Amino acid sequence: MKTTIHIYHTNDFHSHFENWPRIHQFLQERRAWHEEAGEEVFIFDIGDHVDRSHPLTEGTLGQANVERLNETGYDAVTIGNNEGITLPHEGLDLLYEQAAFPVVVANLFDQDGSRPKWALPSFVFELNNGLKLGITGVTAYYSAFYKGLGWEISEPFNELQTQVQQLTKQADLVVALSHLGMYDDEKIAQDVPGVDVVLGGHTHHLFHEGKLVNGKLLGAAGKFGYYVGHIQLEVDLETKSIVSKKARVYQTSEELDAPLQEQESIQQFYERGRQALQQRVVSLPRPFSCHWFEASELPQLLCEALTEWCEADGAFLNAGVVLDGLDAGVVTKYDLHRILPHPINPCLIELTGAELKEVLRQTFDKKWPHLAIKGFGFRGKVMGQFVYDKLEVDPIHYHFKIDGQEIEADKRYRLATLDMFTFGHFFQPLYRATHKKYFMPEFLRDVMEWKLLQLTSYTK
């Protein structure tokens, strides 16, 4: 006798609530459909459901995301880096307080080595037909960032090996929820015996019909809720072995029906977030301008604030990181979130003068201002021109000064900038630098708030 198990999965939703009404309706309908047919059905999320760039997520520190997962009937989730390292320690500790599902993440620990009270290394579901489905989850290994927030994160493959070995003794089928990325998912399939299915995320990859690696089925549903994944396993109940397995995805905009009052629901998500962020911050005596391709006040103000916040010798950033200016009058948390929605942290980097000059020379490359940036925490449109504080740059004659003095090649300097510039693909000296300090959990909007408060007489 055979039975069919259906697994629906999402990953890297990043608080794109404009796609949620269709996903919610689809998953609820599918669960009812399968259960009526006597088939087992599970719904899993593979992390980065939370993204603080949306005001609803920011205003509730992600707890509105957990409400959505509860309402839809998710059976289990793992965490991504957006849950793990963009929330303060206490924010993550409270995030799943009302969760109606297990949070499975095997490689996250408190600093004393214990597991968080809300996290399980694995979980076993007992099916009505006697089968047992075991799951474990792992998340990306951003050691320095987790440590800066008061967590310890272990190397995911070692934890995964341990959990799968235990699960194979307890369960008939094993599914890994992997927020590690496509290439690591393939490595899991190759190197971790006992795993039957790997559901992936983090690198926003999409497998339209799954991918078979070493006989293991990999599933991934892209990003932003553009797709929902579906794994179908046919299992022989006598041998408790998988007879066939297949995967597909459903495109949200084309294959999922629009629920009634879809646009009203989407607007309500946004409006609830806006209302949650109405706390007054400052009252500005005049407007502050922002332009991406010419000198303007707010990007310059933020750059100066970075120097002070990080206690640096100087700073630089790209003007495109500030999305808009501020009007005169009351500025709220919502206003600061609107102009600086990025989950980007300040970063202090120690460089030699030679390295600093090379980085500054590169900032004058003509490719930068109109370059569209994707990922790295950036939630804007284009890079914009670079803005400097206490740094003078003449790339034509190769003259560089810091605080009015010529930069000396062998001297060491403290540069403040955005953490995204240390992640590669931008400036290699920043990527390779061994002395870096990430300021966490503060984002750029927190630094801007701090600076604006210095400029005004209003105190909270």
Side-chain angles (χ1 to χ4, degrees):
M1 185 177 176
K2 298 174 184 175
T3 188
T4 302
I5 300 173
H6 299 272
I7 301 173
Y8 291 87
H9 56 102
T10 52
N11 60 273
D12 298 281
F13 179 69
H14 284 277
S15 295
H16 277 258
F17 289 110
E18 69 273 14
N19 293 318
W20 192 252
R22 295 190 185 207
I23 293 172
H24 168 74
Q25 176 177 269
F26 173 74
L27 290 175
Q28 287 205 314
E29 288 177 348
R30 283 302 177 109
R31 181 184 289 282
W33 179 20
H34 293 309
E35 288 180 347
E36 187 176 342
E39 298 174 332
E40 299 284 352
V41 56
F42 296 93
I43 307 172
F44 300 141
D45 186 77
I46 322 300
D48 277 5
H49 194 279
V50 163
D51 192 317
R52 291 178 63 181
S53 63
H54 193 288
L56 179 57
T57 300
E58 176 73 357
T60 65
L61 277 185
Q63 295 193 31
N65 294 69
V66 175
E67 291 174 14
R68 307 283 77 72
L69 294 167
N70 282 342
E71 289 174 357
T72 304
Y74 274 70
D75 293 288
V77 308
T78 193
I79 70 167
N81 45 287
N82 271 264
E83 287 89 4
I85 62 175
T86 71
L87 294 171
H89 189 285
E90 62 274 18
L92 180 55
D93 237 1
L94 294 174
L95 177 62
Y96 298 105
E97 196 170 45
Q98 301 301 318
F101 46 80
V103 181
V104 183
V105 54
N107 63 323
L108 182 70
F109 301 87
D110 280 310
Q111 286 189 321
D112 63 3
S114 64
R115 294 189 184 276
K117 61 183 183 297
W118 48 267
L120 297 173
S122 63
F123 191 84
V124 177
F125 295 95
E126 296 190 21
L127 284 60
N128 293 327
N129 53 29
L131 286 174
K132 293 183 178 180
L133 174 69
I135 62 169
T136 185
V138 283
T139 196
Y141 185 54
Y142 289 114
S143 179
F145 288 90
Y146 277 102
K147 190 177 291 291
L149 288 167
W151 300 105
E152 291 293 332
I153 191 162
S154 63
E155 196 285 319
F157 274 85
N158 290 335
E159 292 292 344
L160 196 59
Q161 293 269 14
T162 299
Q163 296 305 319
V164 171
Q165 285 176 6
Q166 295 175 1
L167 282 174
T168 54
K169 300 172 185 176
Q170 306 167 32
D172 305 302
L173 310 171
V174 176
V175 175
L177 312 183
S178 163
H179 196 85
L180 302 182
M182 181 174 67
Y183 298 113
D184 280 344
D185 291 353
E186 294 175 355
K187 181 175 170 60
I188 292 170
Q190 292 284 5
D191 297 347
V192 183
V195 172
D196 296 296
V197 176
V198 182
L199 301 179
H202 187 48
T203 47
H204 298 181
H205 54 293
L206 175 66
F207 294 145
H208 284 275
E209 296 181 343
K211 183 176 182 178
L212 279 174
V213 176
N214 193 30
K216 318 294 176 61
L217 181 61
L218 276 57
K223 63 179 180 179
F224 301 166
Y226 293 159
Y227 295 88
V228 175
H230 179 196
I231 303 292
Q232 191 169 320
L233 305 175
E234 190 177 15
V235 182
D236 187 308
L237 285 175
E238 291 185 9
T239 63
K240 297 184 177 180
S241 59
I242 297 174
V243 177
S244 70
K245 45 193 169 186
K246 56 185 178 180
R248 65 160 297 178
V249 294
Y250 302 88
Q251 188 172 0
T252 302
S253 62
E254 300 294 328
E255 299 179 82
L256 274 58
D257 294 333
L260 295 174
Q261 298 183 318
E262 177 183 29
Q263 292 306 314
E264 290 86 344
S265 296
I266 295 168
Q267 186 57 40
Q268 285 172 6
F269 291 146
Y270 191 90
E271 181 60 23
R272 180 183 165 193
R274 191 182 71 82
Q275 290 296 329
L277 294 172
Q278 285 306 303
Q279 303 98 309
R280 174 174 168 163
V281 176
V282 296
S283 183
L284 297 180
R286 61 178 181 83
F288 282 74
S289 64
C290 173
H291 301 289
W292 298 338
F293 307 115
E294 60 187 69
S296 59
E297 294 170 294
L298 269 187
Q300 185 63 50
L301 188 68
L302 180 59
C303 194
E304 293 168 7
L306 278 180
T307 302
E308 297 171 30
W309 182 276
C310 299
E311 297 181 348
D313 298 314
F316 82 88
L317 54 79
N318 58 304
V321 79
V322 184
L323 303 192
D324 201 358
L326 290 172
D327 294 331
V330 172
V331 174
T332 65
K333 293 275 191 183
Y334 171 77
D335 295 317
L336 294 180
H337 182 269
R338 178 179 58 83
I339 68 169
L340 288 164
H342 331 275
I344 292 176
N345 303 103
C347 182
L348 180 67
I349 308 168
E350 189 174 317
L351 300 167
T352 66
E355 291 170 329
L356 178 56
K357 287 194 285 186
E358 176 58 21
V359 169
L360 294 175
R361 185 189 63 78
Q362 290 178 25
T363 63
F364 275 78
D365 192 311
K366 293 180 180 179
K367 71 181 180 182
W368 292 123
H370 294 277
L371 184 67
I373 304 298
K374 301 293 183 183
F376 305 104
F378 186 68
R379 302 294 186 256
K381 297 182 182 298
V382 295
M383 183 75 81
Q385 73 176 29
F386 280 92
V387 179
Y388 311 89
D389 179 51
K390 297 190 175 181
L391 296 166
E392 299 174 48
V393 184
D394 179 358
I396 297 176
H397 300 98
Y398 212 67
H399 292 313
F400 304 91
K401 293 183 179 181
I402 191 163
D403 206 16
Q405 303 295 315
E406 289 285 341
I407 294 176
E408 301 176 27
D410 296 330
K411 187 176 178 180
R412 301 197 71 81
Y413 297 92
R414 293 160 56 87
L415 174 72
T417 190
L418 315 183
D419 66 4
M420 75 174 188
F421 291 140
T422 71
F423 300 151
H425 306 286
F426 295 106
F427 307 102
Q428 285 301 307
L430 303 186
Y431 175 72
R432 294 193 303 263
T434 56
H435 293 89
K436 302 173 192 169
K437 178 181 179 181
Y438 298 102
F439 289 81
M440 305 177 74
E442 298 86 5
F443 290 151
L444 297 180
R445 53 184 171 270
D446 299 307
V447 177
M448 180 69 87
E449 177 179 336
W450 172 77
K451 184 64 174 176
L452 289 174
L453 283 167
Q454 288 185 332
L455 297 178
T456 64
S457 58
Y458 175 77
T459 57
K460 290 185 285 186

